[in-house]
Amino acid sequence: EKGGHEYFMLKEIEEQPAALENTLRGHFTDGRIVLDEQRIAEQDLREVDKVFVVACGSAYHSGLVAKYAIEHWTRLPVEVELASEFRYRDPVLDRDTLVVAVSQSGETADTLEAVRHARGQRARVLAVCNTNGAQIPRESDAVLYTHAGPEIGVASTKAFLAQIAANFLVGLALAQARGTKYPDEVAREFHELCAMPDAVRKVLGTNDQVRALGREVADAKAVLFLGRHVGYPVALEGALKLKELAYMHAEGFAAGELKHGPIALIEPGLPVVVVMPSPKGRAVLHSKLVSNISEIQARGARTIVIAEEGDETVLPFADTLITVPAVPTLLQPLVSTVPLQVLAAEIARARGYDVDKPRNLAKSVTVE
Ligand code: F6R
């Protein structure tokens, strides 16, 4: 049932192209984005003036990624918040607030309570969920299902990529309803999304290289992850995977914060994973990250660089270079997350841990 794999997580990592295809399928017909399971009227979507994404763990990271796209496409303010924090403060919500509750299981207690709180304040709640008929979609106004299929590995992989894709669909539906994107632009964005399964297939070709790297760094005491822009949530996700699977101290930082503290952690031999933006995107972001890598390499860190294929500027600073295909900037997390999943799984395996069932963790967290 593991399809010839040693553990489910690796099988599920390899199922990511299909998870994306299945999540995107059917959501673009007659030149329009359709959130088919939706029960929020087009008119109501048009009136949305603020978006919250509430979620926990990896699902929260999917919201952090989506914020860049949704704000860019819709010009709506988007706040992404941990469900466990959201519900205990007094967030400003009303009928024109759209709350997107993202949950693989659909049963996460904190996210469910956040949904109840939001609905109590008359906000409209859209669930992005991977589990048919779960409690969170049942209590929401509308649901957009991710069709990643059942996820057995406790560490989220294919559901995470599917959540990003679904959140992007929500952004495009909002842009379409608000007219902040012309129909041909919405169509183009959707078609770019549809090219991502093949891009992910290509990244899977680096798995053997990444697994060898994982075995090399398995004895490290800690691993740091750096990124900027959409690479920042990818860094957070890479660190979360490593904590939960390999029980290692791992932290993700916004690379711009290095000088404000974390650079003090850099010491000889410390593995530092850097998620590079495309050199063809915002040149200034790219050059800032190149200078960040050179700084940490100068302090003796072991640099592991995830960069777009053909990006030669990083070569002098990368002790290990892992390349990902060129994709539009906002979609980059869909490719750059994959090697980080494989890295965490392999480090855990090399340390002798059960990759599918990390200690102390449950697949769905139904207590607060
Ligand atoms: C990390 C992981 C968890 C979940 C979190 C939310 O790999 O799997 O952080 O993402 O517990 O779970 P759902 O999406 O079911 O609400």
Side-chain angles (χ1 to χ4, degrees):
E1 50 182 356
K2 294 176 194 163
H5 295 290
E6 246 170 286
Y7 41 85
F8 280 107
M9 184 177 164
L10 197 55
K11 171 171 177 273
E12 290 169 353
I13 287 172
E14 294 190 357
E15 285 170 352
Q16 293 186 111
L20 289 175
E21 272 157 10
N22 294 337
T23 298
L24 295 171
R25 181 172 302 124
H27 287 297
F28 189 77
T29 32
D30 298 329
R32 291 181 65 75
I33 297 286
V34 276
L35 303 180
D36 53 3
E37 292 108 324
Q38 97 176 28
R39 278 166 279 136
I40 295 181
E42 176 94 5
Q43 176 64 28
D44 294 332
L45 275 187
R46 201 171 301 139
E47 284 165 8
V48 167
D49 63 10
K50 181 170 188 183
V51 179
F52 277 99
V53 182
V54 293
C56 304
S58 295
Y60 166 72
H61 296 156
S62 84
L64 292 178
V65 169
K67 173 183 166 89
Y68 293 85
I70 302 177
E71 288 188 337
H72 180 64
W73 293 334
T74 67
R75 308 312 297 144
L76 286 169
V78 179
E79 279 191 52
V80 186
E81 193 155 352
L82 294 166
S84 56
E85 289 295 319
F86 176 85
R87 47 177 301 222
Y88 288 115
R89 56 184 192 91
D90 191 9
V92 182
L93 302 164
D94 61 32
R95 279 186 55 84
D96 296 330
T97 312
L98 178 68
V99 174
V100 182
V102 184
S103 176
Q104 187 285 129
S105 62
E107 304 290 348
T108 299
D110 280 312
T111 310
L112 178 59
E113 289 302 329
V115 165
R116 289 177 176 156
H117 179 79
R119 293 204 69 201
Q121 306 284 308
R122 308 214 162 291
R124 290 169 210 282
V125 179
L126 169 68
V128 168
C129 183
N130 197 49
T131 313
N132 238 302
Q135 197 64 21
I136 289 170
R138 277 213 300 268
E139 295 201 23
S140 299
D141 295 295
V143 52
L144 174 60
Y145 281 108
T146 47
H147 296 283
E151 196 175 56
I152 310 292
V154 163
S156 187
T157 53
K158 60 179 182 171
F160 174 69
L161 256 60
Q163 284 162 348
I164 295 176
N167 294 345
F168 281 178
L169 289 175
V170 175
L172 289 177
L174 282 166
Q176 169 178 277
R178 292 166 53 74
T180 48
K181 283 260 171 213
Y182 291 115
D184 60 318
E185 294 172 313
V186 172
R188 200 184 56 230
E189 299 290 354
F190 182 79
H191 286 111
E192 283 179 344
L193 264 176
C194 291
M196 295 309 293
D198 277 338
V200 173
R201 268 182 204 106
K202 240 177 135 179
V203 193
L204 293 172
T206 64
N207 282 7
D208 288 342
Q209 182 203 356
V210 177
R211 293 184 73 176
L213 168 70
R215 292 189 290 276
E216 272 174 49
V217 298
D219 290 333
K221 278 204 217 66
V223 180
L224 302 185
F225 294 77
L226 300 179
R228 280 178 188 259
H229 192 257
V230 289
Y232 170 42
V234 172
L236 296 177
E237 175 66 6
L240 178 61
K241 290 279 103 78
L242 198 56
K243 282 176 214 171
E244 66 180 333
L245 296 172
Y247 320 147
M248 271 164 103
H249 176 231
E251 253 190 281
F253 297 108
E257 280 292 291
L258 257 184
K259 289 191 177 62
H260 301 283
I263 199 161
L265 292 169
I266 306 290
E267 52 184 51
L270 177 78
V272 181
V273 178
V274 183
V275 183
M276 287 298 299
S278 166
K280 286 168 234 128
R282 297 248 276 290
V284 57
L285 277 181
H286 184 271
S287 66
K288 289 208 163 127
L289 257 166
V290 171
S291 85
N292 291 144
I293 318 177
S294 76
E295 282 161 0
I296 56 176
Q297 200 192 37
R299 287 166 178 77
R302 173 180 181 153
T303 59
I304 298 164
V305 179
I306 318 281
E308 189 173 295
E309 55 196 7
D311 180 354
E312 309 230 315
T313 51
V314 294
L315 290 177
F317 310 110
D319 296 328
T320 304
L321 176 68
I322 297 157
T323 57
V324 293
V327 300
T329 297
L330 290 168
L331 307 188
Q332 243 183 349
L334 294 170
V335 289
S336 50
T337 302
V338 178
L340 306 191
Q341 299 167 336
V342 176
L343 183 67
E346 186 62 21
I347 293 178
R349 202 196 58 78
R351 288 163 77 105
Y353 303 136
D354 182 341
V355 175
D356 289 329
K357 288 196 186 58
R359 68 186 181 199
N360 306 339
L361 294 171
K363 185 64 187 162
S364 88
V365 184
T366 53
V367 290
E368 293 161 35

